Amino acid sequence: MTDEQRKLNIGLAQMLCGGVIMDVTTRDEACIAEDAGASSVMALERVPSDIRKQGGIARMSDPEMILAIKDAVSIPVMAKVRIGHFVEAQILQELGIDFIDESEVLSPADETHHIDKWQFKSPFVCGATNLGEALRRIGEGASMIRTKGEAGTGNIIEGVRHLRTILREMKLLAQLDEGDLFAEAKRFQAPLQVIQEVAKTAKLPVPNFSAGGVATPADAAMLMQLGAEAVFVGSGIFRSSDPQGFAGAIVQAVTHFRDPGKLVEVSRNLGTPMPSIGAGQLSAEEKFEHRGW
Amino acid sequence: MKIGILGLQGCCVPHERKFAALGVDCCRVVFPEDLTGIDGLVMPGGESSTMLKAATPGLWSAVGDFAEARPIWGVCAGCILLARQVDNPSQQSLGLMSIDVRRNAYGSQNDSFIDDLELNLTAVVHIEAIFIRAPQIMQVDDDVKVLGSHGGHPVMVESRRHLATTFHPELHESMAVHEYFTGKVGRHSDG
C-alpha cells in the first residue's frame, strides 16, 4: 500500500461515516440491506450467532457467494478473513472486494501475527478492544478500526466497554508531555509515531467504527452518541423477527442518533430482536473479543 | 455567511474543517427546517442510496425549493443526487443540474485513484484529485460549464447556481474548490 493508496483507503472509510454496515449471507439479504439504506454490506456464509451455535472452524466465505453479493448491490462490499490469514486476504483482494475485515469472528489462523496490511492495495478494517490493540492494527496498515464488542450475543455491554476504553485512553494520552509518549508506546505496545499522532489529536488517525452486540436502534444510537463514527450490525438484522424493519430502523437511528423523537418513532412495534446471550453465559474461551494480539 | 452540510450519512467533518479554515460557519442539515438561514448547501460524499433512504419526508422537496435561489455543491454521492438521470443502477435523483451520471463508473475500491487535475476556476489551478469509487458524468447540457475533465469525462461542472465534483476536494490539501464554492455562495447571498 503506497501513501496514495492509504489516502484512498482511509478516504473510503470516511465515506462510510454515519452509516450502517450489515452482515448478509445471500443475494436476497444483500438487496434487503441496500434497500433499507445500508452504506455497505459484509458478505459472509454464517452470521456470528450461527458461528457460535455451530462451532467448528469459521473461515473466509466461498468466493462464489461473495461475488454473487458483489454483483447484487451497488454499495461497497466487505468480506472477512481469519486473523493472520494473509492468503485469504490475497484472494479477497483479487476478487476486488472493497474492504477486508480481519475478523475475530472467524477462527484465528495465526496466534502471534496479524496480517501485514501494508502488503495489500485493498483497505482493511480490524477489531479492537482497547487503544493499544487499535494502534497496533493501524501500525500494521489498517484503514479503519471497529470496536469488537461481543459478536453474535445481541448484548451491547462489551461494545460499549471497548468504545469507552479507547476514547478514554485517547483523552488521557492527549494530556501527557511529549517525553511521556516513549513510555506509553511501550505500555501500549504500539508504534511511537501513531502514539504521537493520537496524543496530538485525541483521535485515531483512521475512522473509528463500532461493532458487536447491536440488536436494536437504541443500541446503534448509543454507540453513535458515545462517539462511534458508524456502526456494524451482524446478526442483529437477519436474526430478528423482521429483518426489513430492523434494517430500516437502525439506519434511521444512526442518522438521527441524537433525536429521541425519531428514536421513539423507529423503535415502536419493531418486533423481536435477535436471540441474545447474557454476559455471564460465555466463558473466556467462548468470547471472540479475546482473539487478536 | 453560513454553509450547510447535508448530514444524513457520509464525509462531513473534512468539509467543516475546510470551511472553518476559510472563516465560514457551517451547520448540519438533516431536516427541512435546517435549510432556513443558510446561504449554500454541500451534499457530501458517501453512499447516495443510503442518503435517499435516510432522508426524512419533505427533505428533498425542501432542498429543491432551496436550490431555486441558493447554490448547492454535490461531491461524489452529492453529484449523483444533483443529476437529472442516474444509471448503474438507475436511481432516483433531484434533477437540479442537467447532467447524466453513472454510479461507480471506475469499478471497486481497487480502481480508486489519485491524479493531477487542471481546473478552470477564477484562475487555472492544478490540484491532486482524489477519486473514490467515483461516478462519471456521461452527459452535460449547454447550460452546464465543464471546469475540469479527466480521461475524457467532465469531473467538475457548474450551472448558474450549482456545482458538482466527482472527486473529493475535502480530502486534498488545496483550498481552491472550497474557496470557489464560497465565492459562488457569496454572489447568491442576500447580504
Side-chain angles (χ1 to χ4, degrees):
Chain A
M1 184 169 53
T2 59
D3 285 352
E4 248 185 31
Q5 192 63 40
R6 180 166 166 77
K7 205 183 253 188
L8 286 165
N9 288 347
I10 294 175
L12 178 60
Q14 288 173 295
M15 296 308 141
L16 298 173
C17 284
V20 183
I21 300 140
M22 300 183 192
D23 279 6
V24 298
T25 58
T26 63
R27 276 181 77 104
D28 288 350
E29 287 183 1
C31 293
I32 290 172
E34 184 176 44
D35 287 345
S39 59
S40 175
V41 289
M42 175 77 69
L44 74 176
E45 266 161 351
R46 295 181 286 169
V47 295
S49 63
D50 293 348
I51 291 175
R52 241 178 228 298
K53 249 184 276 168
Q54 294 161 7
I57 300 298
R59 308 180 179 88
M60 178 191 78
S61 299
D62 183 337
E64 189 61 30
M65 118 1 123
I66 296 172
L67 283 173
I69 285 172
K70 196 164 171 281
D71 187 51
V73 297
S74 63
I75 51 179
V77 176
M78 305 188 179
K80 289 182 191 294
V81 299
R82 286 178 265 177
I83 289 173
H85 207 313
F86 52 87
V87 174
E88 286 186 346
Q90 290 163 4
I91 292 170
L92 290 188
Q93 174 167 274
E94 187 65 25
L95 286 179
I97 212 76
D98 294 298
F99 239 104
I100 300 172
D101 184 2
E102 186 181 18
S103 177
E104 70 283 359
V105 167
L106 304 185
S107 310
D110 190 316
E111 59 194 358
T112 47
H113 297 75
H114 279 251
I115 295 170
D116 174 2
K117 293 163 271 286
W118 294 104
Q119 301 307 317
F120 290 81
K121 187 178 184 190
S122 298
F124 281 76
V125 50
C126 291
T129 59
N130 56 48
L131 185 60
E133 213 176 349
L135 300 186
R136 287 195 290 280
R137 300 296 86 81
I138 292 167
E140 294 156 1
S143 300
M144 178 199 292
I145 292 297
R146 52 167 181 75
T147 55
K148 286 179 183 170
E150 192 52 45
T153 61
N155 188 352
I156 199 66
I157 189 167
E158 315 278 349
V160 168
R161 174 166 8 98
H162 300 160
L163 185 56
R164 280 193 187 275
T165 301
I166 290 174
L167 295 172
R168 188 181 57 244
E169 288 175 334
M170 288 197 289
K171 272 186 215 151
L172 293 174
L173 207 53
Q175 301 303 313
L176 298 177
D177 296 334
E178 214 155 298
D180 292 327
L181 298 180
F182 299 98
E184 289 302 297
K186 275 178 244 165
R187 192 168 71 87
F188 281 116
Q189 301 181 334
L192 176 65
Q193 201 193 336
V194 195
I195 292 271
Q196 286 167 329
E197 209 174 331
V198 172
K200 217 178 288 170
T201 58
K203 279 179 75 77
L204 294 181
V206 303
N208 184 13
F209 291 8
S210 219
V214 176
T216 64
D219 288 345
M222 182 185 187
L223 294 174
M224 292 297 288
Q225 284 197 28
L226 284 172
E229 294 178 88
V231 174
F232 285 77
V233 186
S235 327
I237 307 284
F238 290 98
R239 291 296 170 271
S240 71
S241 64
D242 175 11
Q244 232 153 348
F246 270 82
I250 292 176
V251 167
Q252 291 288 332
V254 167
T255 294
H256 302 287
F257 66 93
R258 285 192 199 285
D259 184 339
K262 193 77 190 173
L263 295 174
V264 169
E265 184 192 317
V266 302
S267 302
R268 283 177 87 161
N269 275 325
L270 197 52
T272 313
M274 64 177 285
S276 53
I277 303 174
Q281 288 170 256
L282 292 176
S283 67
E285 297 84 66
E286 287 172 313
K287 284 192 174 179
F288 295 158
E289 63 169 293
H290 299 310
R291 297 169 170 178
W293 4 97
Chain B
M1 183 192 293
K2 197 172 189 182
I3 289 179
I5 315 283
L6 188 68
L8 298 171
Q9 185 272 325
C11 186
C12 299
V13 175
H15 281 292
E16 290 163 348
R17 281 201 204 112
K18 288 273 188 196
F19 286 118
L22 291 172
V24 177
D25 282 345
C26 278
C27 64
R28 297 279 176 104
V29 171
V30 175
F31 295 108
E33 54 269 30
D34 299 334
L35 291 161
T36 313
I38 63 169
D39 303 292
L41 176 69
V42 175
M43 300 200 290
E47 286 304 317
S48 57
S49 58
T50 299
M51 296 180 196
L52 289 171
K53 301 292 174 188
T56 43
L59 180 65
W60 299 126
S61 67
V63 168
D65 293 343
F66 179 84
E68 301 277 319
R70 307 278 185 208
I72 300 181
W73 170 21
V75 180
C76 194
C79 167
I80 295 170
L81 294 178
L82 279 177
R84 171 181 54 197
Q85 202 177 315
V86 178
D87 74 352
N88 191 36
S90 71
Q91 181 176 289
Q92 183 199 338
S93 58
L94 304 179
L96 297 173
M97 284 182 88
S98 18
I99 55 174
D100 297 342
V101 172
R102 170 162 297 167
R103 297 182 62 196
N104 300 329
Y106 300 90
S108 69
Q109 175 63 5
N110 287 350
D111 306 301
S112 293
F113 62 97
I114 299 180
D115 208 352
D116 295 332
L117 200 61
E118 182 180 290
L119 300 176
N120 291 298
L121 306 181
T122 38
V124 173
V125 295
H126 290 89
I127 58 146
E128 177 193 58
I130 302 178
F131 293 86
I132 299 174
R133 286 174 44 92
Q136 240 170 26
I137 298 173
M138 308 306 286
Q139 184 157 352
V140 300
D141 281 5
D142 291 343
D143 62 328
V144 172
K145 192 172 148 197
V146 176
L147 302 177
S149 294
H150 186 276
H153 287 277
V155 295
M156 179 169 182
V157 295
E158 73 172 343
S159 62
R160 197 163 69 83
R161 260 190 308 279
H162 309 310
L163 187 66
T165 54
T166 63
F167 58 96
H168 291 278
E170 76 279 16
L171 299 182
H172 65 215
E173 302 298 318
S174 165
M175 298 296 288
V177 183
H178 285 80
E179 272 171 9
Y180 188 76
F181 182 65
T182 304
K184 218 169 153 69
V185 172
R187 285 194 298 282
H188 285 87
S189 148
D190 298 330

